[in-house]
Amino acid sequence: MGIEDYGGGQGPQSDVLVVTTNDVAGFQVQQVIGEVFGLTVRSRHLGSQIGAGLKSMIGGELKGLTKTLVETRNQAMERLIDQARSRGANAVLMFRFDVSEAAEVGTEVCAYGTAVVLARS
C-alpha cells in the first residue's frame, strides 16, 4: 500500500473549505450557519480482527485497520461537506473528528465543525 492509501482531506477543487482554525486569513465570516456533522459507523471485519490479534502478538502497524479508519474518516468528512453545502455554507471552521466504540461491534466516526459563509476581506 502506498502513502495515498493513508491520506485524507479535501481535493484541491472543493467548493467548501474545511479548516481546523477559527478563521481564515484574508476572509471574513459573513454568516454563521451553525454546527454540521458527518457520521458513519463501521463494523469490524472478522478477518481483520484475527489478523490484528496475530499482529498484536509480534508488534507493528495494523495496516488493514489503519486503511479502514482512513476510509471511515474520509466518508464522515464527505458527509459533513455535503451537509454544509446543502445548508448554503462555503466553509467549515473548527473542524474536528470524534472516534468512539459503537456498542462493541464497530467504530463510530463523527466529523464536525461550524458551517459559515466566508467572503474575501
Side-chain angles (χ1 to χ4, degrees):
M1 288 186 277
I3 191 68
E4 65 276 358
D5 294 323
Y6 298 103
Q10 296 178 274
Q13 302 301 321
S14 181
D15 61 329
V16 177
L17 177 66
V18 179
V19 297
T20 59
T21 56
N22 294 333
D23 50 26
V24 178
F27 289 85
Q28 181 177 329
V29 175
Q30 282 190 325
Q31 178 186 359
V32 174
I33 295 172
E35 180 191 12
V36 288
F37 66 90
L39 181 67
T40 186
V41 178
R42 294 280 178 106
S43 65
R44 294 190 180 106
H45 181 275
L46 180 60
S48 66
Q49 288 299 97
I50 292 171
L54 294 172
K55 188 72 168 189
S56 69
M57 287 190 258
I58 59 172
E61 181 180 10
L62 305 173
K63 291 184 180 182
L65 291 177
T66 300
K67 186 174 179 184
T68 298
L69 184 55
V70 168
E71 291 169 352
T72 304
R73 288 171 58 120
N74 287 343
Q75 183 179 48
M77 185 173 182
E78 287 170 15
R79 290 178 178 175
L80 167 120
I81 291 168
D82 289 344
Q83 186 183 58
R85 183 183 300 114
S86 73
R87 294 180 62 191
N90 65 358
V92 176
L93 304 179
M94 298 292 296
F95 172 71
R96 303 286 188 268
F97 281 112
D98 185 47
V99 180
S100 60
E101 292 292 317
E104 297 185 19
V105 296
T107 302
E108 171 190 339
V109 176
C110 182
Y112 63 96
T114 303
V116 300
V117 175
L118 292 181
R120 287 206 178 271
S121 46

